[in-house]
Amino acid sequence: MKLDVLALFPEIIIPALQTGILKRIQDIGGLTINVYNLRDWATDRHKSVDDYPYGGGAGMILKPEPLFAAVKTLNTTSDANVVFLTPQGSPLTQSLVEAMSLETHIILICGRYKGIDERVRQQIVTTEISIGDYVLSGGEIAALVLIDAIGRVLPGALGDFESAHEDSFSQDLLDHPHYTRPAVYEGMEVPQVLLSGHHENIKKWRQVEALKRTAQCRPDLLQNLELSDEELNILNTPKNGS
Ligand code: 9D3
């Protein structure tokens, strides 16, 4: 996959791409990322990328010329998915991340100021994405969130140990609790079942704990699931309600 990023503050994005899983997936050739400064496509002698809004009001708007020119340069085969990170976009979800991870060329446009000229949205942008209902100061950090989420699902990004661990059950639920040594820390004990070596019981315990935790912390996630009779039973058992 090739990812081209257009930003006014590329320095926010670049260092994060040199670490961890994002570095690994680029090193093994699964992902090529180029981060460009939109100002490089500014046409006037002041290198301006923004201007006042027609009709008045506070804040500046990204001018159309640099964005049209940049996308024309980058979208050489004119088949890229041109994604605009914006508060008005579709909410980012793991299924959207997985769908995007199958694409071959994505161009990410990071907004700044009040927004971009509407003609860019209409003529160039194919997908608009928001990372959640809160206000950021620009699209760069949102782009980084999207790149990180896509990068880690690409083939080879996760080591065998990390990826094989995701069994089919844990997909739509929150994670179960985790423990490591020591078995007793300041009087607080690790649940006995985890020390038992009884793999079937451990699997069952984790399933119950994941369900309990999801019901407690994110009941909205359970609304969208078809729970089995066994799972409903677990949730309706009073001792699990706490
Ligand atoms: C006055 C209306 N504001 C919208 C709430 C204008 C505005 C504020 C902040 C327009 C853009 C921004 C900068 N935000 C992003 O570029 C952004 C974003 C976000 O703020 N929240 C969640 N997802 C995203 S993706 C890009």
Side-chain angles (χ1 to χ4, degrees):
M1 174 187 298
K2 182 159 92 169
L3 250 172
D4 293 317
V5 188
L6 285 166
L8 282 173
F9 296 100
E11 64 272 25
I12 296 174
I13 300 171
I14 289 167
L17 305 179
Q18 324 293 339
T19 63
I21 289 170
L22 281 180
K23 175 175 160 51
R24 186 196 305 176
I25 189 66
Q26 291 175 92
D27 287 347
I28 66 174
L31 178 60
T32 303
I33 310 177
N34 298 302
V35 187
Y36 299 97
N37 194 326
L38 185 60
R39 206 170 288 281
D40 294 345
W41 281 275
T43 47
D44 64 317
R45 63 189 185 92
H46 297 110
K47 297 264 166 216
S48 58
V49 290
D50 59 335
D51 205 341
Y52 298 96
Y54 275 119
M60 303 294 277
I61 307 299
L62 288 184
K63 292 162 61 65
E65 297 91 333
L67 282 165
F68 271 90
V71 171
K72 190 174 180 184
T73 305
L74 298 175
N75 199 2
T76 43
T77 51
S78 46
D79 63 351
N81 184 0
V82 181
V83 175
F84 176 41
L85 284 312
T86 168
Q88 79 214 331
S90 310
L92 184 62
T93 60
Q94 191 63 23
S95 29
L96 184 52
V97 167
E98 283 165 18
M100 292 182 76
S101 76
L102 303 176
E103 310 206 10
T104 53
H105 187 193
I106 298 174
I107 298 173
L108 297 181
I109 297 175
C110 305
R112 277 273 152 182
Y113 318 119
K114 279 254 138 163
I116 64 174
D117 188 281
E118 183 67 10
R119 291 162 292 191
V120 175
R121 279 191 62 238
Q122 289 172 342
Q123 298 296 317
I124 299 182
V125 171
T126 53
T127 310
E128 293 179 279
I129 295 177
S130 161
I131 64 160
D133 293 338
Y134 37 78
V135 184
L136 303 173
S137 50
E140 286 86 354
I141 292 172
L144 209 38
V145 167
L146 178 59
I147 294 167
D148 187 86
I150 290 174
R152 67 179 291 289
V153 298
L154 291 174
L158 299 181
D160 286 348
F161 187 77
E162 291 159 295
S163 54
H165 211 64
E166 303 282 306
D167 56 27
S168 60
F169 169 76
S170 57
Q171 288 299 318
D172 305 307
L173 295 177
L174 299 182
D175 215 352
H176 55 73
H178 302 279
Y179 294 88
T180 185
R181 292 185 291 180
V184 183
Y185 176 72
E186 304 255 327
M188 295 174 284
E189 295 178 3
V190 172
Q192 200 57 45
V193 61
L194 297 179
L195 310 176
S196 68
H198 193 307
H199 297 298
E200 199 54 43
N201 286 352
I202 291 170
K203 195 176 164 199
K204 185 73 207 162
W205 180 86
R206 288 179 169 165
Q207 183 183 350
V208 170
E209 293 302 315
L211 263 174
K212 282 162 60 178
R213 185 178 268 191
T214 308
Q216 177 74 42
C217 304
R218 291 293 306 277
D220 58 302
L221 295 180
L222 294 179
Q223 298 302 308
N224 315 318
L225 293 182
E226 288 285 348
L227 293 181
S228 66
D229 287 350
E230 191 191 2
E231 289 169 325
L232 288 171
N233 234 323
I234 291 165
L235 289 175
N236 293 326
T237 301
K239 73 179 163 82
N240 290 332
S242 55

